[in-house]
Amino acid sequence: MAQADQQGRAALLGRISASEARLHAVAMRWLDPQPVPAELTLRQVQVLVLVRANPDLSGQALAEHLGVSTPTTSGILERVVARGWLRREHDPADRRRLLLRITPEGEEVLASLEGPVLQAKAQVLDRLSDAELADLARLSERMQDVAEQIDAERS
């Protein structure tokens, strides 16, 4: 890639990052402080989101997603299960294997965190034209495709 092309690409990436940061800062001003369970950690939120997105996830697969050891994951799971946010179920195909499922209480925890952010996002999206939304949808889908390609390459 030519030097000018690299500089142009770097400038575009800088504009995107700066715009995302400004959008986030503005939207954060709209949000009221949210009650969050005191014992909830960022890692536990990550676990809840991963299990919700992958309902047949095992503890070992979760450890791989998190990039941590199985014993570390077991400790996190013990705390999340004890709080009633996740449950373990035997895999009908292999009773030795336990599958993770998010509980209604876990869904409530995530909804309390995601709801206000989704409302702020909806306010912004409501002001975009149909053509702008179509462009955004196309680019979002393309970014997801690329992320999945990268994920497959890393596996």
Side-chain angles (χ1 to χ4, degrees):
M1 188 180 299
Q3 180 71 16
D5 290 345
Q6 288 177 348
Q7 290 174 341
R9 185 175 180 86
L12 286 173
L13 292 171
R15 284 177 53 199
I16 292 167
S17 293
S19 178
E20 287 174 345
R22 287 191 312 270
L23 174 61
H24 180 78
V26 169
M28 287 294 108
R29 290 195 299 260
W30 305 342
L31 300 179
D32 294 325
Q34 299 300 310
V36 176
E39 65 276 7
L40 181 65
T41 67
L42 187 55
R43 183 61 94 178
Q44 290 169 346
V45 171
Q46 188 178 22
V47 166
L48 292 174
V49 168
L50 282 168
V51 171
R52 181 179 61 187
N54 304 282
D56 288 332
L57 210 58
S58 67
Q60 184 175 0
L62 178 62
E64 291 172 15
H65 278 286
L66 295 173
V68 298
S69 69
T70 303
T72 298
T73 303
S74 293
I76 296 167
L77 285 174
E78 287 301 323
R79 290 183 289 282
V80 175
V81 168
R83 290 185 177 98
W85 299 332
L86 286 182
R87 68 177 182 274
R88 294 179 176 116
E89 295 179 0
H90 286 283
D91 183 344
D94 181 354
R95 301 279 304 156
R96 297 169 296 174
R97 186 170 178 245
L98 291 173
L99 303 177
L100 303 169
R101 301 274 192 262
I102 192 164
T103 64
E105 294 81 5
E107 290 284 3
E108 286 178 24
V109 168
L110 289 180
S112 72
L113 298 172
E114 296 168 337
V117 174
L118 293 174
Q119 289 172 352
K121 186 176 182 179
Q123 287 182 318
V124 172
L125 294 175
D126 284 346
R127 296 208 180 179
L128 297 180
S129 70
D130 288 349
E132 290 168 327
L133 288 173
D135 287 343
L136 184 58
R138 181 182 54 77
L139 292 172
S140 295
E141 290 161 358
R142 177 66 180 125
M143 288 174 65
Q144 179 61 39
D145 290 344
V146 170
E148 288 174 2
Q149 290 171 358
I150 292 169
D151 193 45
E153 292 166 5
R154 294 178 67 178
S155 297

